[in-house]
Amino acid sequence: MISIENINKTYGKFHILKSVNLNIEKGQIVTVMGPNGSGKTTLLKCILGLVIPDNGDIKVDGKTIKNNFEYRHKIGYMPQTAFFPENIRVKDVIQIIKEIRGEKAAVDFELYDYYEIEKFTEKKVSSLSQGMKQKVSSALTFMFDSDILILDEPTAGLDPLSAEYMKIKIRKEKDKGKLIIITTHILNEVEELSDRIIFLLDGEVRVNRVNESGSTNGAEGILNKFTELFKSYEWE
Ligand SMILES: Nc1ncnc2c1ncn2[C@@H]1O[C@H](COP(=O)(O)OP(=O)(O)OP(=O)(O)O)[C@@H](O)[C@H]1O
Ligand SMILES: [Mg+2]
């Protein structure tokens, strides 16, 4: 569904993504993990066409994303930090996104209802707490029933119940055959949610494997691998 073919990204003298090759199939939850600054968000933005790699290619459903904007209709994207215009009301943000995506395309109000967003649609964006902004952002991401969901730290800043509901929703969407790519620093989430784990270290894919947490020693296994990778990084 998504193939990433040997992409590199540099910012000035900094080599951010290093020869990244990945093949990601639909019907699964793929977790991208790695330390701060390892390139997770940059990689997601490359898939979205928000960051252009220096070379290589990215294909969605077999078609290159270069000069192709159509494919973005298939994607729901939840950025790491939601930036909405501060001076408008929540209901206006929702209306603007609906107009961009097409009013009729707004079909899934499950998160919207669960997070009771209706109760604060009259509030100005500037008056929302960080968690409330996350809720609006996630409700909008899921609203358009996209085939591909790209969620950059979706549970960060959410209270535990809201985070739990987000995970339930992510699993539900996977069961519909969608592809969900998430980044997270929470090891339990990696263990619970992922079908495939991709570990980025300093812009390189160091692990790309099926999640075997259920069959082996679970989160402990992931933690050991994590520690191992951190140590090897320090010693190189
Ligand atoms: N627009 C930019 N200009 C210059 N450098 C950038 C830009 N965007 C990202 N970087 C750099 O790329 C590297 C990777 O950043 P990125 O945001 O992808 O990390 P991340 O793995 O998502 O980190 P975190 O876990 O903190 O979210 C960092 O060194 C960052 O400073
Ligand atoms: Mg990030």
Side-chain angles (χ1 to χ4, degrees), residues 1-235:
M1 189 166 207
I2 298 181
S3 64
I4 298 174
E5 299 167 2
N6 203 28
I7 63 164
N8 283 278
K9 178 67 193 173
T10 50
Y11 283 116
K13 62 180 169 55
F14 298 102
H15 200 167
I16 307 298
L17 293 177
K18 297 171 183 164
S19 305
V20 174
N21 282 290
L22 290 170
N23 248 316
I24 306 174
E25 293 306 323
K26 62 180 172 184
Q28 55 174 348
I29 301 169
V30 176
T31 309
V32 182
M33 49 187 311
N36 295 131
S38 54
K40 302 179 298 297
T41 298
T42 306
L43 179 63
L44 300 187
K45 285 185 175 171
C46 285
I47 297 171
L48 290 154
L50 298 174
V51 166
I52 312 291
D54 302 347
N55 55 12
D57 199 7
I58 297 178
K59 291 184 184 134
V60 174
D61 290 333
K63 272 177 78 178
T64 179
I65 63 167
K66 282 179 195 156
N67 302 315
N68 164 10
F69 303 100
E70 248 336 274
Y71 82 101
R72 293 190 195 169
H73 290 292
K74 298 180 187 169
I75 301 180
Y77 171 49
M78 181 175 174
Q80 188 165 358
T81 316
F83 286 108
F84 299 127
E86 292 281 307
N87 249 327
I88 61 174
R89 290 177 203 284
V90 171
K91 66 176 185 189
D92 300 322
V93 172
I94 294 167
Q95 193 52 36
I96 290 167
I97 304 290
K98 276 185 182 170
E99 277 168 25
I100 293 170
R101 301 280 308 232
E103 191 87 31
K104 284 204 194 109
V107 289
D108 185 343
F109 290 86
E110 214 172 359
L111 274 188
Y112 182 92
D113 291 337
Y114 184 81
Y115 290 152
E116 299 187 317
I117 289 172
E118 200 62 46
K119 285 190 179 163
F120 54 89
T121 50
E122 291 299 326
K123 285 197 174 200
K124 279 200 171 171
V125 169
S126 55
S127 72
L128 299 183
S129 72
Q130 193 52 41
M132 287 159 97
K133 280 187 198 167
Q134 282 285 99
K135 286 179 178 177
V136 173
S137 175
S138 58
L140 283 167
T141 305
F142 285 86
M143 199 176 274
F144 301 94
D145 197 23
S146 312
D147 290 344
I148 302 171
L149 293 158
I150 296 183
L151 315 172
D152 201 348
E153 298 191 32
T155 59
L158 290 181
D159 63 71
L161 265 181
S162 302
E164 209 48 49
Y165 200 79
M166 165 73 77
K167 287 188 253 173
I168 292 170
K169 182 66 180 159
I170 289 172
R171 283 198 205 92
K172 266 190 173 178
E173 296 309 295
K174 172 202 149 164
D175 291 343
K176 291 181 193 163
K178 295 183 179 183
L179 167 62
I180 298 109
I181 305 175
I182 68 169
T183 68
T184 180
H185 291 294
I186 305 166
L187 291 174
N188 278 344
E189 270 177 17
V190 178
E191 188 209 358
E192 286 171 37
L193 284 176
S194 324
D195 296 303
R196 175 166 290 278
I197 301 171
I198 292 164
F199 190 99
L200 270 185
L201 194 58
D202 206 14
E204 256 180 83
V205 176
R206 298 290 287 265
V207 176
N208 175 6
R209 64 162 194 206
V210 171
N211 180 20
E212 291 159 347
S213 311
S215 57
T216 58
N217 52 350
E220 204 186 316
I222 297 169
L223 192 61
N224 285 343
K225 187 77 194 166
F226 213 9
T227 316
E228 210 178 281
L229 280 159
F230 266 114
K231 282 186 182 161
S232 69
Y233 179 55
E234 280 165 12
W235 293 337

